[in-house]
């Protein structure tokens, strides 16, 4: 068989298969074993394929019902047509999560199918266990029942059956990555001169996926990897018969164990390797999506300087990926990432990725703030500073750890993503520093009022009728002039700042 590192996709994505090796005809030299292998292969493939098709149909049905309830148009969340003709809208975040869960369920079902096939295999082996031939019997072509050749033929037949199950599971998992999680269509980054990405000619268009979808894709990738980490070793063990009762009967040839189970076993290894690779891509795509977030458009740069969509989407994405700390570590140990080039035990934990996302988002926000400052009108500068204040305040409120708000751990030791908080010092130092600097800038807009709040010397005031309570006409005009200047400037400032949003309820 091919080595695990050399198992590559030869079939079209979504075609129902991953590698052409599993489609080779079975030839053991024993017609009865060939018939057994081909028959069980058909049954096993139909089981895993039918399970996936049913799950996909239910997912589409649920998506249509959800879209009908919200008044949205239907989307092909599976992308089963291989790309089709028109420009289909990107899958919703819930569709991506549902596809990932279905992929893990299919892997679980693959284990059930393989376990069943191993039981059948052992029954066949057990039925011939009483044969008089031993493992040291003469090796002749067409050896009798119980001979080394016959038992090797059984292993070849078993590998032929289970390999197609693992192959289908692998195709399902990678199809979810490439189509639903969009690893095949990464975000288009802006050009070096700061121009928007070509795919984002309309900043408010839904044709291109944004941070929200890529955030769901990153969580979906880690969810699938979590499932592969938990189920993969057990599946590989079920596929391996080299350590069964009759061990040693087929391992004498090439180095590295029993060649009769190499395809299925190598596919199990390849599942983990490709899942790690694709999970890493989903993490990188999320960071790219933040960087590619348009600098203009009402949803990206609101006219009232409220919290931008990118801020809420990044907070949501961080909370989605936060529970998968073990899966994330499995990625960083095996792949060098832009924010964590070290591998193995020297790789960093999830906090380094969260920091990278926050920094990318702050850069995006600062780019939007600069565009506010370039807008025509008296409110340009105010919108720029207030926009940064609103967004950094939102980040501190949503992700900053306090005595009252801390990340909760579930009974099984996992993190509750909905309560995730960043307790590392860098977060408040960086985000808090930006907030305070922008607040200082914003307050300066109101300092013009202080020029009218000067004291009036008592010697400048005169009173009527010898009273010290009723001001003279001249003194009244002096006080009124001070107030009129204050009111005039205040009304100007109010007209500029009143349409702007302040997210701090206090």
């Amino acid at each position: 068989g091919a080595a695990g590192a050399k198992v590559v996709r030869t079939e079209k994505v979504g075609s129902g298969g991953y590698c052409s090796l599993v489609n080779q005809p079975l030839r053991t030299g024993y017609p009865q074993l060939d018939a057994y292998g081909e028959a069980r292969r058909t049954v096993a493939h139909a089981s895993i394929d039918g399970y996936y098709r049913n799950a996909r149909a239910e997912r589409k049905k649920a998506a249509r019902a959800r879209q009908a309830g919200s008044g949205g148009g239907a989307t092909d969340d599976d992308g089963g047509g291989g790309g089709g003709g028109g420009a289909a809208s990107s899958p919703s975040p819930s569709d991506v999560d549902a596809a990932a869960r279905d992929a893990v369920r299919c892997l679980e079902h693959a284990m059930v199918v393989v376990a069943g096939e191993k039981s059948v295999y052992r029954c066949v082996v057990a039925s011939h266990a009483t044969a008089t031939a031993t493992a040291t019997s003469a090796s002749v072509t067409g050896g009798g029942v119980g001979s080394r050749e016959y038992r090797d033929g059984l292993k070849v037949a078993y590998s032929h059956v289970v390999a197609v199950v693992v192959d289908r599971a692998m195709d399902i998992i990678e199809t979810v990555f490439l189509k639903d999680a969009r690893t095949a269509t990464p975000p288009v980054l802006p050009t070096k001169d700061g121009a928007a990405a070509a795919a984002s000619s309309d900043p408010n268009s839904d044709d291109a996926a944004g941070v929200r979808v890529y955030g769901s894709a990153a969580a979906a990738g880690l969810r699938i990897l979590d499932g592969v980490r938990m189920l993969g070793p057990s599946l590989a063990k079920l596929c391996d018969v080299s350590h069964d009762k009759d061990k040693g009967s087929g391992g004498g040839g090439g180095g590295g164990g029993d060649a009769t189970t190499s395809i299925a076993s190598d596919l199990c290894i390849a599942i983990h390797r490709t899942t790690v690779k694709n999970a890493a891509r989903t993490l990188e795509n999320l960071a790219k999506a933040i960087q590619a977030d348009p600098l203009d458009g009402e949803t990206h740069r609101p006219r009232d300087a409220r919290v931008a969509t990118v801020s809420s989407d990044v907070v949501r994405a961080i909370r989605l990926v936060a529970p998968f700390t073990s899966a994330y570590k499995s990625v960083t140990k095996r792949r060098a990432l832009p924010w964590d080039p070290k591998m193995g035990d020297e790789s960093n934990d999830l906090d380094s990725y969260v920091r990278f996302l926050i920094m990318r988002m702050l850069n995006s926000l600062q780019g939007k703030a600069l565009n506010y400052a370039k807008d025509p009108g008296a409110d340009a500068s105010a919108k720029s500073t207030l926009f940064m204040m609103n967004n950094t305040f939102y980040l501190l409120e949503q992700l900053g750890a306090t005595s009252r708000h801390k990340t909760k751990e579930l009974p099984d030791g996992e993190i509750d993503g909905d309560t995730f908080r960043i307790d590392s010092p860098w977060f408040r130092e960086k985000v808090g520093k930006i907030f305070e600097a922008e607040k200082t800038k914003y307050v300066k807009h109101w300092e013009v009022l202080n020029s009218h709040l000067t004291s009036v010397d008592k010697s400048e005031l005169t009173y009527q009728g010898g009273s010290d309570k009723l001001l003279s006409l001249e003194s009244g005009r002096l006080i009124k002039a001070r107030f009129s200047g204050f009111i005039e400037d205040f009304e100007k400032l109010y007209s500029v700042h009143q349409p702007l949003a302040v997210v701090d309820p206090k």
Side-chain angles (χ1 to χ4, degrees):
K6 296 181 180 179
V7 175
V8 296
R9 175 178 284 281
T10 59
E11 307 301 302
K12 184 179 178 181
V13 175
S15 64
Y18 183 87
C19 181
S20 61
L21 289 174
V22 302
N23 296 322
Q24 296 177 358
L26 177 62
R27 293 189 178 91
T28 64
Y30 297 89
Q32 67 272 34
L33 294 186
D34 292 346
Y36 148 76
E38 294 295 350
R40 296 309 307 173
R41 178 187 184 278
T42 302
V43 172
H45 181 270
S47 178
I48 182 68
D49 186 64
Y51 184 87
Y52 171 66
R53 290 180 182 275
N54 289 335
R56 183 180 62 182
E58 289 297 322
R59 188 168 75 245
K60 285 186 176 183
K61 183 178 178 181
R64 291 192 189 98
R66 186 169 57 251
Q67 290 156 4
S70 61
T75 61
D76 184 4
D77 64 288
D78 182 64
S89 60
S90 60
S92 71
S94 56
D95 294 336
V96 177
D97 182 67
R101 292 177 185 272
D102 283 348
V104 176
R105 292 190 187 103
C106 287
L107 188 61
E108 292 174 343
H109 189 72
M111 286 186 59
V112 173
V113 174
V114 173
E117 292 303 325
K118 193 159 192 177
S119 296
V120 174
Y121 162 78
R122 282 176 172 166
C123 288
V124 175
V125 173
S127 66
H128 297 87
T130 57
T132 56
T134 63
T136 57
S137 63
S139 297
V140 295
T141 302
V145 172
S147 66
R148 182 189 299 272
E149 292 84 354
Y150 188 83
R151 286 188 288 181
D152 284 347
L154 278 169
K155 291 183 178 182
V156 172
Y158 175 74
S159 178
H160 184 71
V161 173
V162 298
V164 74
V165 177
V166 182
D167 179 83
R168 185 67 179 106
M170 191 167 181
D171 176 62
I172 292 169
I173 290 174
E174 192 160 69
T175 298
V176 171
F177 271 114
L178 294 175
K179 293 187 175 180
D180 297 279
R182 302 177 68 87
T183 56
T185 53
V188 181
L189 296 178
T191 58
K192 291 183 178 180
D193 59 1
S200 303
S201 57
D202 180 3
N204 296 314
S205 172
D206 292 329
D207 291 340
V211 176
R212 193 171 186 83
V213 170
Y214 282 108
S216 294
L222 293 178
R223 182 183 298 280
I224 295 174
L225 179 56
D226 228 15
V228 170
R229 288 177 53 253
M230 300 296 292
L231 303 175
S234 298
L235 180 61
K237 190 173 182 180
L238 287 170
C239 291
D240 183 22
V241 291
S242 62
H243 299 291
D244 218 44
K245 291 180 181 180
D246 51 346
K247 65 180 179 179
S249 62
D258 188 1
T260 61
T261 59
S262 60
I263 295 178
S265 298
D266 289 346
L267 281 169
C268 289
I269 297 172
I271 284 181
H272 187 272
R273 188 185 68 249
T274 57
T275 303
V276 168
K277 177 188 69 176
N278 284 310
R281 285 179 179 173
T282 62
L283 296 173
E284 292 176 15
N285 285 347
L286 173 56
K288 290 179 181 178
I290 298 171
Q291 184 179 356
D293 191 68
L295 300 182
D296 291 299
E298 178 60 25
T299 60
H300 308 287
R301 189 165 67 89
R303 68 188 67 184
D304 61 356
R306 65 183 181 274
V307 175
T309 303
V310 67
S311 296
S312 58
D313 286 348
V314 169
V315 169
R316 174 183 175 273
I318 290 174
R319 286 175 174 169
L320 286 177
V321 302
F324 301 104
T325 53
S326 298
Y328 175 83
K329 194 66 177 178
S330 184
V331 174
T332 56
K333 279 186 174 181
R334 293 165 177 82
R335 295 189 71 86
L337 300 168
W339 58 91
D340 188 8
K342 297 180 180 179
M343 297 172 61
D345 294 335
E346 295 183 356
S347 60
N348 295 318
D349 56 16
L350 189 62
D351 183 68
S352 65
Y353 181 57
V354 171
R355 180 170 184 167
F356 187 74
L357 296 182
I358 294 292
M359 295 304 177
R360 279 286 174 92
M361 187 194 61
L362 290 175
N363 288 337
S364 177
L365 293 175
Q366 288 168 343
K368 294 174 173 63
L370 288 175
N371 279 10
Y372 274 120
K374 297 175 183 177
D375 287 345
D379 61 349
S381 178
K383 285 193 295 186
S384 177
T385 55
L386 188 59
F387 174 77
M388 290 301 298
M389 282 180 60
N390 282 335
N391 283 271
T392 51
F393 178 83
Y394 174 80
L395 289 177
L396 292 169
E397 287 290 296
Q398 294 294 319
L399 294 177
T402 64
S403 57
R404 294 179 54 216
H405 300 97
K406 295 181 179 180
T407 303
K408 293 182 180 178
E409 288 191 7
L410 301 175
D412 58 0
E414 296 294 330
I415 291 176
D416 181 4
D418 292 337
T419 65
F420 177 76
R421 298 279 174 158
I422 303 174
D423 55 7
S424 300
W426 65 263
F427 179 70
R428 286 199 174 275
E429 290 175 3
K430 181 66 177 180
V431 181
K433 182 178 179 180
I434 294 176
F435 174 79
E436 293 297 332
E438 296 298 331
K439 184 174 70 172
T440 300
K441 293 179 185 178
Y442 182 75
V443 170
K444 287 182 178 179
H445 289 280
W446 297 85
E447 289 182 353
V448 66
L449 299 178
N450 293 336
S451 62
H452 303 286
L453 301 178
T454 57
S455 61
V456 179
D457 193 279
K458 287 186 178 182
S459 62
E460 297 182 37
L461 299 177
T462 59
Y463 298 90
Q464 296 181 11
S467 171
D468 60 353
K469 294 183 180 180
L470 184 60
L471 289 173
S472 65
L473 182 60
E474 292 76 11
S475 296
R477 287 174 178 172
L478 176 62
I479 298 295
K480 185 178 180 180
R482 297 286 182 92
F483 272 106
S484 63
F486 176 88
I487 292 172
E488 182 181 353
D489 285 341
F490 180 82
E491 288 178 346
K492 288 180 180 178
L493 287 171
Y494 181 80
S495 64
V496 170
H497 293 263
Q498 192 273 334
L500 306 184
V502 178
V503 300
D504 184 359
K506 301 177 182 179

